[in-house]
Amino acid sequence: LDTIRSTFVSSVGEYVNEFERKIAKYTGAKFAVATVNGTSALHTALLLSGVKEGDEVITQLLTFVATCNAIKYCGAEPVFVDISLKTLGMSPESLKEFLDKNAEERNGYAYNKITGRRIKACVPMHTFGHPVEIDKIIEICSEYNIDVIEDAAESLGSFYKNKHTGTFGKFGVLSFNGNKIITTGGGGMILTNDEELAKKAKHITTTAKVPHPYEYFHDEIGYNYRMPNINAALGVAQLEQLENFLKIKRKIAQEYKIFFDKKGINFFTEPENSYSNYWLNAVILDNKKQRDEFLEITNKNGIQTRPVWTLMYKLPMYKNCFKTDTPNAEYIEERVVNIPSGVIYE
């Protein structure tokens, strides 16, 4: 209502600034820049990390398609490594094996010896809100001068070793899509501890317009990635409920674990050294046949369940991307079912 009364409902307004400040404070990041969605936030972070056309960006092949799409927006190519069965996110062991086998140093950068492309960045994703072993990933990437950008789209409210996800790498990216733990309808956020990069992110996501009371002058190619004020106002209100949402999410997860333990079914729980938001709950069945039967029975009875995302290399636009051996991802794809995970608890 404040935004409507102020008439600033679109791309400018005080609630955008307030939402950024409150997200920065909650996560512990020094700076936060609001965007229209998580994909645009990731695209911006990749651009500001210097990812250029023809570069390669390492990521996991078990992820939502937006992770790879943002890489392609830069003209870069995804490289797929395996996931960890402990976290369902990027495996540090698979990452290290890929780099040790395929990367070589040239002029201060890592290059793929097979493709000849520069490996500029690495994008691990905190799957279903469960933190990856991000400290190990950053340590490995630092040996090769590779920037780490955390896809923390699903993990607002999740912590690894008492530090919020998205605050370990050069950038972190959050999403506030309608299905996330808090929502702005559609929205994203870039997290960084670098003041200059934060200023640059704000500039290019607001069409690169040079500040002026009335003139329109743009000093570089920018993007209309601004979060509307009315969406930011919703985000500020949602943040007031976040701690309650997290308590409910974790309570539901606990109930699920007790229930599925009795059934002899593996309910996935937070990894070691982690505090997870349990954004999307998952069970791991014994095999693909059991998974398919679970999906059919639940959906026929009005319970919405779904399989995990199709592995990225199986999608037509990413089928020719460079990939390592990925037995863990193949195993998980055939067995995981996501189950209802809302914050309504009765």
Side-chain angles (χ1 to χ4, degrees):
L1 289 174
D2 285 345
T3 62
I4 293 168
R5 293 188 189 107
S6 73
T7 74
F8 290 100
V9 298
S10 188
S11 57
V12 293
E14 182 52 37
Y15 278 107
V16 175
N17 298 329
E18 184 178 352
F19 191 39
E20 290 173 338
R21 288 193 297 268
K22 289 189 172 182
I23 286 290
K25 182 179 180 181
Y26 178 80
T27 60
K30 290 184 179 178
F31 305 98
V33 178
T35 61
V36 70
N37 53 49
T39 309
S40 60
L42 183 54
H43 179 209
T44 303
L46 288 162
L47 289 172
L48 293 180
S49 290
V51 174
K52 299 184 183 302
E53 185 173 357
D55 284 343
E56 289 182 345
V57 176
I58 304 167
T59 192
Q60 58 202 61
L61 76 170
L62 183 74
T63 185
F64 182 56
V65 70
T67 307
C68 294
N69 288 348
I71 294 168
K72 290 295 286 185
Y73 294 167
C74 299
E77 294 295 324
V79 169
F80 299 122
V81 297
D82 205 4
I83 62 166
S84 165
L85 295 178
K86 295 183 292 184
T87 68
L88 302 185
M90 183 178 288
S91 162
E93 293 78 16
S94 179
L95 172 65
K96 181 172 174 52
E97 182 181 1
F98 162 72
L99 288 170
D100 288 349
K101 181 179 179 180
N102 298 292
E104 63 181 6
E105 190 270 335
R106 292 188 225 157
N107 303 317
Y109 292 105
Y111 281 80
N112 188 327
K113 291 186 288 187
I114 308 301
T115 64
R117 297 190 181 102
R118 181 177 68 158
I119 307 169
K120 187 64 183 74
C122 176
V123 183
M125 197 268 283
H126 301 287
T127 307
F128 306 152
H130 298 296
V132 300
E133 295 176 289
I134 188 64
D135 52 351
K136 294 181 180 179
I137 290 170
I138 289 175
E139 183 180 357
I140 293 164
C141 287
S142 66
E143 296 176 13
Y144 290 87
N145 194 27
I146 295 171
D147 292 332
V148 175
I149 302 166
E150 293 175 72
D151 186 342
E154 301 173 354
S155 63
L156 179 66
S158 295
F159 294 80
Y160 179 71
K161 295 184 177 179
N162 299 314
K163 187 176 179 181
H164 198 283
T165 53
T167 63
F168 290 81
K170 187 172 186 176
F171 290 101
V173 170
L174 302 174
S175 171
F176 308 108
N177 189 35
N179 63 350
K180 295 302 189 292
I181 194 160
I182 69 167
T183 184
T184 56
M189 193 76 74
I190 302 165
L191 305 177
T192 184
N193 290 325
D194 188 308
E195 184 175 7
E196 288 305 311
L197 288 175
K199 288 179 180 177
K200 186 72 171 176
K202 191 72 169 177
H203 185 59
I204 69 170
T205 57
T206 54
T207 69
K209 181 181 181 295
V210 177
H212 192 278
Y214 48 85
E215 289 186 355
Y216 280 81
F217 184 83
H218 307 259
D219 59 0
E220 61 180 304
I221 294 173
Y223 301 87
N224 189 9
Y225 284 170
R226 300 170 289 189
M227 176 183 283
N229 196 40
I230 196 165
N231 296 74
L234 178 58
V236 171
Q238 285 270 287
L239 265 177
E240 295 173 2
Q241 302 295 322
L242 179 57
E243 289 302 325
N244 186 47
F245 290 166
L246 289 169
K247 287 178 183 178
I248 294 172
K249 285 277 196 181
R250 292 180 64 82
K251 186 173 183 180
I252 291 171
Q254 184 181 36
E255 295 285 345
Y256 271 144
K257 185 175 186 334
I258 293 169
F259 175 83
F260 285 111
D261 280 352
K262 291 178 181 177
K263 303 289 183 183
I265 294 173
N266 181 9
F267 174 76
F268 191 81
T269 55
E270 61 193 2
E272 188 179 1
N273 297 316
S274 298
Y275 178 94
S276 296
N277 66 3
Y278 284 97
W279 170 68
L280 194 55
N281 290 305
V283 292
I284 304 175
L285 285 305
D286 291 338
N287 51 56
K288 187 176 184 298
K289 180 175 182 292
Q290 192 181 68
R291 183 205 72 171
D292 292 345
E293 289 173 351
F294 189 103
L295 288 166
E296 184 177 1
I297 291 169
T298 49
N299 281 283
K300 274 188 175 179
N301 284 276
I303 301 169
Q304 187 181 37
T305 62
R306 69 186 195 197
V308 74
W309 312 288
T310 301
L311 298 183
M312 290 298 102
Y313 82 93
K314 295 182 180 180
L315 302 181
M317 58 282 200
Y318 298 121
K319 66 180 181 180
N320 296 321
C321 292
F322 194 97
K323 67 180 281 292
T324 62
D325 293 332
T326 55
N328 292 343
E330 305 287 346
Y331 178 92
I332 289 298
E333 184 195 32
E334 291 187 347
R335 291 165 174 81
V336 162
V337 173
N338 290 123
I339 54 181
S341 304
V343 294
I344 297 173
Y345 187 86
E346 295 180 358

